[in-house]
Amino acid sequence: MPCKISTSIQDAIQILNRDELIGLPTETVYGLAGNGLSPAAVEIIYRTKNRPSSQPLILHIAGPERVEDLVSACPTQVYTLIEHFWPGPLTLVLPKSHRVPDQVTGQQATVAIRMPSHDLALELLRQLPYPLAAPSANPFTRISPTTAHQVAEYFPEQLEMVLDGGACQQGLESTILYIENQDIFLLRRGTLLPERIEEVVKQKLILPSTLIQTPKVPGSHIKHYAPRTRIEVIDSLHSIPASGTSLKIGLLLHQGDAELQDRYVCKVLSKEGDLKEIASNFYQALQELDAQGLDLIVTEAFVPEGLGLTLNDRLFRAAAK
Ligand code: TXA
Ligand code: MG
């Protein structure tokens, strides 16, 4: 039976209680969700996504009161972080409790947890007696989906249902932090910016560029979030020669540009170049360009500050050969 797109929480619960999976809306990207306390359901997540089981999953919960059961220790900064940023796009990596199956954490002693800021997802999570393990709902190394339709297209036969929560508001995966001995490591950039976190915890984060052999994010291998079409990142799109190539080229534009839009197949991320809008449209725009049978997608890097750093992270992974 092909995958259905529905807003029925009751149907979602029935499927999850059978240890099967659903597509889960969140404010970041859609997740491929199953019972996070059931080794059987977790195995199916890895298999469906075709993801190596050494790459751990995030547990999604309905509220801070559900953390206690899942962790064996909670550094003091965690309370501050939760109070300020949950529900929201912040994942915390903490020492796991015995309740969390080893399959969820890729045999590691830590578990990643977040409370998503999405009404329908929270309504579902509140009604479940277990957390939902959910990686982004894309086959391994493909672009993360930001609409229910995209999830159903990726897994037409393997999924019975996607819970339809509309287009994801943020559009990029959550920020991931790991805390050890009072140090806070930024493991993955997201839409919640390190500057905001530093303001709240009143300490500097240890950034990915300064991580030398410290807790790495398993599976953050370079090629990731990738379309099938080759991507080239260049300094200025205005330097593309006007003729002399037989390649079918499409451009991913940060903002509207009448001259380029006249000459090429283009996807505009935000008419006015607004970074939040760019982030929310980024994966969907790549997806649409990828579907056009092009030989090459060409784009520029983002100004490397704030959300631009997160976007560059995803862009360079998508462009990695
Ligand atoms: O926004 C998000 O975080 C989305 C939505 C669905 O919540 N989920 C998501 O999951 O991006 P996924 O599986 O695509 O990425 C999770 C990342 C992986 O890179 C994984 O290695 C890291 O989190 N991770 C999970 N558990 C970890 C742990 N115990 N220690 C370090 N990294 C961990
Ligand atoms: Mg992912």
Side-chain angles (χ1 to χ4, degrees):
M1 194 178 58
C3 179
K4 72 176 176 201
I5 295 176
S6 151
T7 54
S8 167
I9 289 191
Q10 285 322 309
D11 288 0
I13 292 175
Q14 276 192 13
I15 295 169
L16 291 164
N17 282 345
R18 274 190 254 130
D19 270 353
E20 289 171 21
L21 312 185
I22 62 155
L24 175 76
T26 83
E27 79 280 32
T28 59
V29 299
Y30 272 74
L32 185 65
N35 178 348
L37 299 183
S38 157
V42 170
E43 298 282 354
I44 298 175
I45 295 178
Y46 287 108
R47 199 167 350 117
T48 305
K49 221 182 125 81
N50 195 18
R51 163 157 155 164
S53 57
S54 55
Q55 295 185 22
L57 309 177
I58 297 174
L59 291 182
H60 296 70
I61 57 173
E65 70 285 355
R66 303 208 179 175
V67 171
E68 202 180 321
D69 209 31
L70 305 172
V71 306
S72 60
C74 212
T76 50
Q77 297 103 320
V78 169
Y79 297 96
T80 313
L81 288 166
I82 287 178
E83 190 186 320
H84 278 84
F85 300 120
W86 278 9
L90 175 66
T91 296
L92 298 170
V93 175
L94 298 165
K96 83 176 200 71
S97 77
H98 67 276
R99 294 264 291 157
V100 179
D102 288 333
Q103 289 88 341
V104 170
T105 67
Q107 315 292 323
Q108 299 198 94
T110 53
V111 59
I113 305 177
R114 90 176 188 97
M115 176 187 181
S117 169
H118 188 289
D119 289 345
L120 196 59
L122 286 174
E123 187 51 45
L124 169 64
L125 288 165
R126 273 193 286 270
Q127 293 190 37
L128 293 170
Y130 44 79
L132 288 179
S136 51
N138 49 290
F140 188 52
T141 77
R142 301 289 306 280
I143 303 172
S144 302
T146 55
T147 62
H149 179 77
Q150 182 61 50
V151 180
E153 230 173 60
Y154 273 147
F155 302 107
E157 301 300 329
Q158 300 98 313
L159 268 187
E160 194 174 322
M161 147 177 196
V162 185
L163 186 62
D164 187 5
C168 300
Q169 191 214 334
Q170 306 251 344
L172 300 175
E173 296 86 347
S174 62
T175 302
I176 305 183
L177 296 180
Y178 171 68
I179 303 166
E180 188 181 61
N181 301 329
Q182 304 298 314
D183 288 330
I184 308 181
F185 298 86
L186 176 67
L187 296 189
R188 179 174 75 185
R189 290 183 187 275
T191 50
L192 174 61
L193 300 181
E195 300 87 283
R196 275 281 286 135
I197 298 169
E198 287 175 345
E199 254 169 49
V200 162
V201 292
K202 301 190 173 54
Q203 75 181 82
K204 285 279 177 204
L205 302 190
I206 300 172
L207 302 179
S209 56
T210 51
L211 290 182
I212 313 157
Q213 293 224 319
T214 17
K216 57 177 175 49
V217 190
S220 59
H221 57 300
I222 275 286
K223 189 170 174 67
H224 209 148
Y225 319 105
R228 298 208 152 130
T229 315
R230 188 160 66 89
I231 300 184
E232 198 77 55
V233 184
I234 64 176
D235 289 339
S236 167
L237 290 175
H238 287 276
S239 66
I240 304 183
S243 60
T245 173
S246 56
L247 291 180
K248 270 174 77 186
I249 293 177
L251 306 187
L252 183 65
L253 297 180
H254 299 183
Q255 55 185 354
D257 185 317
E259 191 207 323
L260 291 173
Q261 286 171 261
D262 252 8
R263 287 165 46 204
Y264 293 96
V265 173
C266 289
K267 272 282 151 204
V268 178
L269 288 166
S270 159
K271 258 193 187 145
E272 309 291 334
D274 174 73
L275 277 179
K276 280 195 173 159
E277 194 181 357
I278 289 177
S280 72
N281 291 330
F282 183 73
Y283 285 139
Q284 179 67 25
L286 266 185
Q287 199 73 256
E288 286 173 17
L289 279 177
D290 201 24
Q292 300 210 14
L294 300 163
D295 297 313
L296 182 65
I297 296 170
V298 187
T299 190
E300 292 170 1
F302 296 89
V303 176
E305 57 189 35
L307 208 46
L309 285 167
T310 306
L311 283 159
N312 279 342
D313 172 76
R314 305 305 195 269
L315 174 60
F316 285 111
R317 285 169 199 281
K321 308 214 164 72

